[in-house]
Amino acid sequence: MRSPAGSTPDPVRTVALKRVTIVGEAVLESRLVALIRAAGAKGFTRIACSGEGSRGVRASDWEGANVKLESLVSPAVADAILAVLARDYFEHFAVVAYVDEVHVVRGDKYV
Amino acid sequence: MRSPAGSTPDPVRTVALKRVTIVGEAVLESRLVALIRAAGAKGFTRIACSGEGSRGVRASDWEGANVKLESLVSPAVADAILAVLARDYFEHFAVVAYVDEVHVVRGDKYV
Amino acid sequence: MRSPAGSTPDPVRTVALKRVTIVGEAVLESRLVALIRAAGAKGFTRIACSGEGSRGVRASDWEGANVKLESLVSPAVADAILAVLARDYFEHFAVVAYVDEVHVVRGDKYV
Amino acid sequence: MDSLDLVRLNLASPMVLGFVLGIVATLVKSDLKLPEALHSGLSSYLLLAIGLKGGGELAQAPLDQLSGPLLATLAIGITSPIWCFAALRTFGKLGVVDAAAIAAHYGSVSVVTFTACGTFLDGAGVGYEGFMSALVAFLEVPAIVVAILLARRASTSAAPWGETLREVLGGKSNLLLCGGVAIGALAGPSLEQVKPFFVDPFKGVLTLFLIDMGALAARRLSDLRAAGGFLAVFALVMPLVNGAIGAWLGEFAGLSLGGTTIFATMVASASYIAAPVAVRIALPEANPALYLTSSLAITFPFNLTVGIPVYHAIARWLHA
Amino acid sequence: MDSLDLVRLNLASPMVLGFVLGIVATLVKSDLKLPEALHSGLSSYLLLAIGLKGGGELAQAPLDQLSGPLLATLAIGITSPIWCFAALRTFGKLGVVDAAAIAAHYGSVSVVTFTACGTFLDGAGVGYEGFMSALVAFLEVPAIVVAILLARRASTSAAPWGETLREVLGGKSNLLLCGGVAIGALAGPSLEQVKPFFVDPFKGVLTLFLIDMGALAARRLSDLRAAGGFLAVFALVMPLVNGAIGAWLGEFAGLSLGGTTIFATMVASASYIAAPVAVRIALPEANPALYLTSSLAITFPFNLTVGIPVYHAIARWLHA
Amino acid sequence: MDSLDLVRLNLASPMVLGFVLGIVATLVKSDLKLPEALHSGLSSYLLLAIGLKGGGELAQAPLDQLSGPLLATLAIGITSPIWCFAALRTFGKLGVVDAAAIAAHYGSVSVVTFTACGTFLDGAGVGYEGFMSALVAFLEVPAIVVAILLARRASTSAAPWGETLREVLGGKSNLLLCGGVAIGALAGPSLEQVKPFFVDPFKGVLTLFLIDMGALAARRLSDLRAAGGFLAVFALVMPLVNGAIGAWLGEFAGLSLGGTTIFATMVASASYIAAPVAVRIALPEANPALYLTSSLAITFPFNLTVGIPVYHAIARWLHA
Ligand SMILES: Nc1ncnc2c1ncn2[C@@H]1O[C@H](COP(=O)(O)O)[C@@H](O)[C@H]1O
Ligand SMILES: Nc1ncnc2c1ncn2[C@@H]1O[C@H](COP(=O)(O)O)[C@@H](O)[C@H]1O
Ligand SMILES: Nc1ncnc2c1ncn2[C@@H]1O[C@H](COP(=O)(O)O)[C@@H](O)[C@H]1O
Ligand code: NA
Ligand code: NA
Ligand code: NA
């Protein structure tokens, strides 16, 4: 906020990171957060959401519908998150997970 | 949740899928969901949002602002969703739609 | 909505654009929106969210947690947004920003 | 009390002052808007509370006292969109679809304006028929249906007729209003059990809601230019015309002084809850900047501050 | 009043009518669901209000009057999931985990059904022990724990036992209910200060909440086929069996006519707030379509409309 | 009542017990936090209700009775951040910006602490001047402005002065508080219409809100180590110093025993609604862990439980 208005700042270097996205039942929230942390993620963003899928089952409407977690991580951490998810959650819970690549400002902070 | 803590699970195979994202007026929600379903999507995730664009018109603040729908689908279904959207909604409604690619755990479930 | 049900619409041409995503403290919302606008973005989508990171500080729980802003822009505008962000916000505020590419229906509207 | 006193009384009510606070906040670039979930919850509360009250009184009102006002409500609901439409086409040179969209709003009723009128009368110590709340439920829908019918031949992208009807009748506000009337009418004396929630705090909730409405209306003010001069005039004059007609018709239908005032206010008010949603779906090519700006940013504040005392003055004059 | 009158009285209460409105709205494809934040807020309000009331009365009740009902509550909380489980295994041929999951729901208690019963008795002019609200807090948890214990040997993916207990005891609904009881018991006369918020509007809030519950329950109806015929019968018969046992036990424990009715209703009701969350975590392979559809879409509406007057009739017969 | 009785009375109030429930829930890793939309809605309600009450009484208070307390409020609002700043610099060796940020919080006022004090006095049967609520509106802003002025010469990234002022004056909490005062003062007798919403349920709403505050405060406890030992001492001692000064000044300004108690509590309390937002924008390099932990996690619970009865004891001693 200090710089004189109108001055053009220098271009920014970004780092390519994996973004892991998990959408799951809201009752799982604290467990999924613990999982992400344990796998080595430095942070995450949480968004309330709802949805429909092939199973469509929800534990309870009282605890809310779904939660979407997004975490910027290194490829290795991304693999670790997905592996634990696939092993422990996919069989019995309504969970969707995927990965893509984004270019992050000051990305080295997150790996 | 069964596995002994600390054991390393196997790496996970992912499938490349299209993620179709639609942001539109909240009054359209049920119609957009029907459209996605009709085009062949197996599921979707719904997020409440708001926004500004070039038109900035909203039907009513009473029914909420915007809704964001995300659906993981095959390329063919993605094309079908966008085509119907472009034909029926883009002229008169505040709608934004785009596609990118993500790598989905157990992705074959969604095609 | 006019077309006879069942007719197949023409395939849709999309334009590759940058999607800039900013996650930051909710108190910054109006400032970040102004920044995006000033850098030349034609619109944006706003989503309420929360999260944890390395700093974990929040100005106040009364004004809400975090806000996620997504804007579809040309590569030049994306660079401009990130540069101003890096210069004015990264030092003192809890902000995450990244870019990826998406294929937008009627994408020329947004550049 | 003379008319000026009544205007002053109205302007100094917590509800109108709350509305002004919302406007001021938006003008100083601050934001008093409630979270969306609360706005929606308070709307539901207000609609349901009005319905419950109307239903409870409806069940007790003798049919012969009721039939006149009910017929008057249906008659004005069907006819007023037609003359609004004609005025917009003739004097404003608006296109068919835009004219019909605006007519749907002015033919329907604003629930909050209705409520503010009841509060005004309570403050002024003027009684009115309890079943007026139920008439709101009957005035909301017909005008929207008539106006959409007027536009359909001109619209190239109107939604299918069945879908439109479902949208209008099955809309949240109509369901809550009519559902409330039904519950109120069926519940009988057990309605007393819910009074401490639906009746006592009602005016306070309305005050909070009006702060929010003020913030919303003020945001629409920037669209005024888009709406144009004719529409601004229309949004000020049409309520007066409709209000006068409403007062005359209410008096004719046998309503009391207070009932006539409320009836005039209902007719003069323009919907901004039910109508916009229905019109958006049924007539997507109509420009929302036109119908929302005129009904929400001009007519609503006008009625809230000046209109209601004026309609009361007309009603008094007719009753004298 | 004879039994039919009581059914009629119950069906015409604003709460039950509100529930019906929610169902109707969903059936006509409209949506009266409250925003999630409000649903959660209203739930918290109801739980806390019930707890406060129970705690306040608990503090004043003489221990000898209390001990009987308290023991009865714990006894039925521990035993009823066992016979529910046995019935589901024997007659329904359900798997161990699914049977235990359903037993957890029917052994626990539905807070809203409990509340509706209190409202019913108020309407019918029948008094009851004030500390009944506190018993709800004691009935909620034991059955869930017992049922999970029944399933654990069969489950291949049950959560660790410590985590399960934390989930059940530290769950939001249990904390609010027990926390409310504790505050109510400790606050003494200063509880009067919060009555205008937690007592007076309670039944009105419940009406709003039941509209929402109606919408939720109606959505579950589409799962009825998945649940199957046996479960539909179970969801109608088990409440009657549990209600009769509860009435007998309540009478035996020395409760008044009203208290016996409430106790029977508590036993007959099936949880759909606390139990589903705990079961989802503790027994993830249990099918939610089975336990949620039966408790929320069948048993809850049944108890709300027909069950409560029936349990009252049983209680009257026992008391005569 | 002696002082210990008063502490006991205060600790057993539903509000303080609710706060404890929120803390306990967080400590057992459960979560009683309200949805954000509700937290924000309840805050708005409380601020508006306080403003309305203060404004209504302001309009009736004779000017000569008012001028003393008003001047005292402004005087303490301008001076107290200066001595807080000096203490933090001298004894705590904090940097200019962090010291100023904390001083802004301790110079301003906590609306919830103020309210809890009113509830305490009501419970103890001690009367107080109705216009105290209006003084809150005058105490909130000056300290924040003074503290930011103190820091600006040292800050390298302070926001422009105009923007800072807009942030402080146009902040949601200031607008609701001052807007409420204005509406209350202008509305006159029609304020009665909204009493069942803004006055009667007030203390119950506060109880619900304090559960939420307890959950929030407990989350901050983990930051205590980051804040360090000096700040913990400061957050316990400064309120006592400010409270004593406030009691003396209130007495001097001619307030009653109850009014003096409230005035002392206002001065002793630290803002955690208005100040954090303003400071975050105006002094971004100040560390939020320092100012939020001290004001929200230490000073607020201290005042709520022990501080208020202590300030009352001081006021009684001065009044004797
Ligand atoms: N194809 C999909 N695209 C996007 N989100 C999905 C999809 N399928 C499922 N989901 C999300 O994952 C949740 C659980 O899905 P399911 O386990 O299939 O019931 C749903 O509620 C949606 O939020
Ligand atoms: N350039 C953009 N980037 C991201 N979202 C946009 C953009 N333009 C529009 N939107 C979203 O689409 C909605 C409708 O846009 P419009 O039709 O241009 O008014 C807005 O409310 C935004 O949520
Ligand atoms: N690795 C990450 N992945 C996703 N979101 C993050 C990450 N780190 C931080 N965030 C988001 O950015 C906000 C501020 O982060 P920080 O400045 O590190 O405290 C957090 O509240 C999260 O919403
Ligand atoms: Na009208
Ligand atoms: Na039971
Ligand atoms: Na202070």
Side-chain angles (χ1 to χ4, degrees):
Chain A
M1 301 187 163
R2 290 148 300 165
S3 315
S7 74
T8 322
D10 297 334
V12 172
R13 211 181 49 81
T14 60
V15 176
L17 288 178
K18 296 292 175 191
R19 171 173 59 175
V20 177
T21 304
I22 307 172
V23 179
E25 305 177 47
V27 282
L28 298 178
E29 184 181 308
S30 57
R31 282 167 188 77
L32 294 175
V33 165
L35 182 163
I36 290 177
R37 287 266 188 219
K42 293 281 196 303
F44 62 90
T45 296
R46 181 200 294 114
I47 298 178
C49 60
S50 59
E52 294 177 19
S54 41
R55 279 181 284 192
V57 292
R58 202 76 327 104
S60 157
D61 301 288
W62 143 267
E63 292 282 342
N66 286 352
V67 68
K68 182 181 189 179
L69 299 173
E70 291 182 336
S71 186
L72 303 171
V73 294
S74 67
V77 173
D79 284 348
I81 294 175
L82 296 191
V84 180
L85 263 183
R87 185 190 64 191
D88 294 350
Y89 287 90
F90 268 70
E91 192 176 351
H92 296 303
F93 291 105
V95 176
V96 167
Y98 52 85
V99 185
D100 61 350
E101 196 172 273
V102 296
H103 300 270
V104 184
V105 181
R106 308 231 172 145
D108 25 283
K109 223 180 92 180
Y110 308 101
V111 291
Chain B
M1 301 190 164
R2 290 149 300 165
S3 316
S7 75
T8 320
D10 297 334
V12 173
R13 210 180 49 80
T14 60
V15 177
L17 287 178
K18 296 293 175 192
R19 170 172 61 176
V20 176
T21 304
I22 307 173
V23 178
E25 306 177 47
V27 282
L28 298 178
E29 184 181 307
S30 57
R31 283 167 189 78
L32 294 175
V33 164
L35 182 164
I36 290 177
R37 287 266 187 220
K42 293 280 195 305
F44 62 90
T45 296
R46 179 201 296 113
I47 299 178
C49 60
S50 58
E52 294 176 19
S54 42
R55 278 182 286 193
V57 292
R58 203 78 325 106
S60 158
D61 300 287
W62 144 266
E63 291 283 343
N66 285 351
V67 68
K68 182 182 187 178
L69 300 173
E70 291 182 336
S71 187
L72 304 171
V73 294
S74 68
V77 172
D79 284 347
I81 293 175
L82 296 191
V84 179
L85 262 184
R87 185 192 63 190
D88 294 350
Y89 287 90
F90 267 70
E91 192 177 351
H92 296 304
F93 292 104
V95 176
V96 167
Y98 52 85
V99 184
D100 61 350
E101 197 172 273
V102 296
H103 300 269
V104 184
V105 181
R106 308 231 173 145
D108 26 282
K109 224 179 89 180
Y110 308 102
V111 291
Chain C
M1 300 187 164
R2 289 149 301 164
S3 317
S7 74
T8 321
D10 297 334
V12 172
R13 210 181 48 81
T14 60
V15 177
L17 287 178
K18 296 292 175 191
R19 171 173 59 174
V20 177
T21 303
I22 306 172
V23 179
E25 307 177 46
V27 281
L28 298 178
E29 183 181 308
S30 58
R31 282 166 189 79
L32 293 175
V33 164
L35 182 163
I36 290 176
R37 287 269 188 217
K42 293 278 196 304
F44 61 90
T45 296
R46 180 201 295 114
I47 298 178
C49 60
S50 58
E52 295 176 20
S54 42
R55 278 182 286 192
V57 293
R58 202 78 324 106
S60 158
D61 300 289
W62 144 266
E63 290 284 342
N66 286 351
V67 68
K68 182 182 188 179
L69 300 173
E70 291 182 336
S71 186
L72 304 170
V73 293
S74 67
V77 172
D79 284 347
I81 293 175
L82 296 191
V84 179
L85 263 183
R87 186 190 63 190
D88 294 350
Y89 287 90
F90 268 70
E91 191 176 351
H92 295 304
F93 292 105
V95 176
V96 166
Y98 52 85
V99 184
D100 62 350
E101 195 171 275
V102 296
H103 300 270
V104 184
V105 180
R106 308 232 172 143
D108 26 282
K109 224 180 91 179
Y110 309 100
V111 291
Chain D
M1 261 186 269
D2 71 14
S3 298
L4 219 70
D5 282 343
L6 287 171
V7 174
R8 210 174 300 132
L9 173 76
N10 191 45
L11 291 182
S13 74
M15 295 94 210
V16 174
L17 292 170
F19 186 75
V20 173
L21 175 59
I23 292 180
V24 168
T26 302
L27 293 186
V28 304
K29 299 237 165 110
S30 183
D31 188 0
L32 288 192
K33 240 171 37 98
L34 293 173
E36 198 182 302
L38 272 189
H39 180 86
S40 157
L42 293 185
S43 305
S44 298
Y45 169 87
L46 294 173
L47 290 162
L48 199 61
I50 291 170
L52 286 171
K53 190 179 167 209
E57 304 271 356
L58 207 61
Q60 283 162 27
L63 194 69
D64 61 322
Q65 198 192 320
L66 204 66
S67 51
L70 199 61
L71 282 178
T73 302
L74 294 176
I76 200 95
I78 291 170
T79 52
S80 74
I82 299 178
W83 69 67
C84 290
F85 179 75
L88 289 157
R89 293 282 291 155
T90 313
F91 306 118
K93 311 287 176 218
L94 270 84
V96 170
V97 176
D98 277 329
I102 300 171
H105 288 69
Y106 283 83
S108 180
V109 58
S110 153
V111 169
V112 179
T113 311
F114 160 81
T115 310
C117 182
T119 304
F120 166 79
L121 292 174
D122 290 347
V126 178
Y128 49 91
E129 289 80 357
F131 59 72
M132 296 308 294
S133 310
L135 297 187
V136 174
F138 291 97
L139 187 54
E140 201 180 35
V141 165
I144 301 175
V145 175
V146 169
I148 292 172
L149 277 174
L150 287 174
R152 284 187 69 80
R153 29 180 192 105
S155 169
T156 56
S157 60
W161 190 232
E163 197 177 345
T164 299
L165 261 190
R166 216 194 54 64
E167 196 71 37
V168 179
L169 294 174
K172 204 165 164 178
S173 66
N174 189 48
L175 270 180
L176 284 169
L177 211 43
C178 295
V181 169
I183 296 176
L186 294 170
S190 64
L191 211 55
E192 281 298 309
Q193 296 188 321
V194 300
K195 264 193 66 180
F197 180 64
F198 284 113
V199 176
D200 301 342
F202 186 84
K203 287 171 189 171
V205 174
L206 185 63
T207 300
L208 196 60
F209 192 72
L210 276 169
I211 296 178
D212 211 39
M213 292 294 305
L216 285 176
R219 281 149 180 250
R220 285 278 163 198
L221 282 176
S222 56
D223 286 339
L224 264 190
R225 206 160 326 150
F230 168 76
L231 213 55
V233 173
F234 175 88
L236 293 172
V237 173
M238 201 73 226
L240 291 171
V241 173
N242 281 347
I245 297 175
W248 174 82
L249 188 61
E251 167 81 20
F252 179 82
L255 288 168
S256 68
L257 169 60
T260 301
T261 304
I262 293 201
F263 193 75
T265 301
M266 283 164 56
V267 179
S269 72
S271 163
Y272 44 81
I273 291 184
V277 177
V279 164
R280 189 79 187 110
I281 295 300
L283 305 172
E285 72 260 60
N287 183 355
L290 302 184
Y291 54 75
L292 274 178
T293 307
S294 50
S295 65
L296 179 58
I298 309 179
T299 299
F300 175 59
F302 172 75
N303 278 335
L304 195 65
T305 53
V306 180
I308 292 175
V310 169
Y311 310 138
H312 183 53
I314 298 177
R316 285 211 297 189
W317 181 77
L318 287 168
H319 248 76
Chain E
M1 260 185 270
D2 72 13
S3 299
L4 218 71
D5 282 343
L6 287 172
V7 174
R8 210 174 300 132
L9 173 75
N10 190 45
L11 291 182
S13 74
M15 295 93 212
V16 174
L17 291 170
F19 186 75
V20 173
L21 175 59
I23 292 180
V24 168
T26 301
L27 293 186
V28 303
K29 299 236 165 111
S30 184
D31 188 0
L32 288 192
K33 239 170 37 98
L34 292 174
E36 199 183 299
L38 272 189
H39 180 86
S40 156
L42 293 185
S43 305
S44 298
Y45 169 88
L46 294 173
L47 289 163
L48 199 60
I50 291 169
L52 286 172
K53 189 179 169 209
E57 304 271 356
L58 207 61
Q60 283 162 29
L63 194 70
D64 62 320
Q65 197 191 320
L66 204 66
S67 51
L70 199 61
L71 282 178
T73 302
L74 294 176
I76 200 95
I78 291 170
T79 53
S80 74
I82 299 178
W83 70 66
C84 290
F85 179 76
L88 289 157
R89 293 283 291 155
T90 313
F91 306 118
K93 310 287 176 219
L94 270 83
V96 170
V97 177
D98 276 329
I102 300 171
H105 289 69
Y106 282 82
S108 181
V109 58
S110 154
V111 169
V112 179
T113 311
F114 160 81
T115 311
C117 181
T119 304
F120 166 80
L121 292 173
D122 290 346
V126 177
Y128 49 91
E129 289 81 356
F131 59 73
M132 295 310 293
S133 309
L135 297 188
V136 174
F138 291 96
L139 186 54
E140 201 180 35
V141 165
I144 301 175
V145 175
V146 169
I148 292 174
L149 278 174
L150 287 174
R152 285 187 68 79
R153 34 189 185 98
S155 169
T156 56
S157 59
W161 189 232
E163 198 177 343
T164 299
L165 261 190
R166 217 195 54 65
E167 197 70 38
V168 179
L169 294 173
K172 204 167 164 177
S173 67
N174 189 48
L175 270 180
L176 284 168
L177 212 42
C178 293
V181 169
I183 295 177
L186 293 171
S190 65
L191 211 56
E192 281 298 309
Q193 297 188 321
V194 300
K195 264 193 66 180
F197 181 64
F198 284 113
V199 177
D200 301 342
F202 186 83
K203 288 171 188 171
V205 174
L206 185 64
T207 300
L208 196 60
F209 191 73
L210 276 168
I211 296 178
D212 211 39
M213 291 295 303
L216 285 176
R219 281 149 180 251
R220 286 277 163 197
L221 282 176
S222 57
D223 286 338
L224 264 190
R225 207 161 324 150
F230 169 76
L231 214 54
V233 173
F234 175 88
L236 293 172
V237 172
M238 201 72 226
L240 291 171
V241 173
N242 282 346
I245 297 175
W248 173 82
L249 187 62
E251 167 81 19
F252 179 81
L255 288 169
S256 69
L257 169 60
T260 302
T261 304
I262 293 201
F263 193 74
T265 301
M266 283 163 56
V267 179
S269 72
S271 164
Y272 44 81
I273 291 185
V277 177
V279 164
R280 190 78 187 108
I281 295 300
L283 306 172
E285 72 260 59
N287 183 354
L290 302 185
Y291 55 73
L292 274 178
T293 306
S294 50
S295 64
L296 179 57
I298 309 179
T299 299
F300 175 59
F302 172 74
N303 277 334
L304 195 64
T305 52
V306 179
I308 292 175
V310 168
Y311 310 137
H312 184 53
I314 298 177
R316 285 211 297 189
W317 181 77
L318 286 169
H319 247 78
Chain F
M1 262 188 268
D2 71 14
S3 298
L4 218 71
D5 281 344
L6 287 172
V7 174
R8 210 175 300 131
L9 172 76
N10 191 45
L11 291 182
S13 74
M15 294 94 212
V16 173
L17 292 169
F19 185 76
V20 173
L21 174 59
I23 292 180
V24 169
T26 302
L27 293 186
V28 305
K29 299 236 165 110
S30 182
D31 188 359
L32 288 192
K33 240 172 36 98
L34 292 173
E36 199 184 299
L38 271 189
H39 180 87
S40 157
L42 293 185
S43 305
S44 298
Y45 169 87
L46 294 174
L47 289 163
L48 199 60
I50 291 169
L52 286 172
K53 189 179 169 212
E57 304 272 356
L58 207 61
Q60 283 162 29
L63 194 68
D64 61 322
Q65 198 191 318
L66 205 65
S67 50
L70 200 60
L71 283 177
T73 303
L74 294 176
I76 201 96
I78 291 169
T79 52
S80 74
I82 298 178
W83 69 67
C84 291
F85 179 76
L88 289 158
R89 293 283 290 156
T90 312
F91 305 118
K93 309 288 177 218
L94 270 85
V96 171
V97 177
D98 276 329
I102 301 171
H105 289 69
Y106 283 82
S108 181
V109 57
S110 153
V111 170
V112 179
T113 310
F114 160 82
T115 310
C117 183
T119 304
F120 166 80
L121 292 174
D122 290 347
V126 178
Y128 50 89
E129 288 81 356
F131 59 73
M132 297 308 294
S133 310
L135 297 187
V136 174
F138 291 97
L139 187 54
E140 201 180 34
V141 166
I144 301 176
V145 175
V146 169
I148 292 173
L149 277 174
L150 287 174
R152 285 187 69 80
R153 34 186 184 100
S155 169
T156 55
S157 60
W161 189 232
E163 197 177 344
T164 300
L165 262 190
R166 217 193 55 63
E167 197 70 37
V168 180
L169 294 173
K172 205 166 164 176
S173 65
N174 190 47
L175 270 180
L176 284 168
L177 212 43
C178 294
V181 169
I183 296 177
L186 294 171
S190 65
L191 212 56
E192 281 299 309
Q193 296 188 322
V194 301
K195 264 194 66 181
F197 181 64
F198 285 113
V199 176
D200 300 343
F202 186 83
K203 288 170 189 171
V205 174
L206 184 63
T207 300
L208 195 61
F209 191 73
L210 277 169
I211 296 178
D212 211 39
M213 292 293 305
L216 284 176
R219 280 149 180 250
R220 285 279 162 196
L221 283 176
S222 57
D223 286 339
L224 264 191
R225 207 161 324 152
F230 169 76
L231 214 54
V233 173
F234 175 88
L236 294 172
V237 172
M238 202 72 227
L240 291 172
V241 173
N242 281 346
I245 298 176
W248 174 81
L249 187 62
E251 167 80 19
F252 179 81
L255 289 168
S256 69
L257 169 60
T260 301
T261 304
I262 293 200
F263 193 74
T265 301
M266 283 163 57
V267 179
S269 73
S271 164
Y272 44 80
I273 292 185
V277 177
V279 165
R280 190 78 187 108
I281 295 299
L283 305 173
E285 72 260 58
N287 182 354
L290 302 185
Y291 55 75
L292 274 178
T293 307
S294 50
S295 64
L296 179 58
I298 309 179
T299 299
F300 174 59
F302 172 74
N303 277 335
L304 194 64
T305 53
V306 179
I308 291 174
V310 169
Y311 310 137
H312 183 53
I314 299 178
R316 285 212 297 191
W317 181 77
L318 286 169
H319 248 76

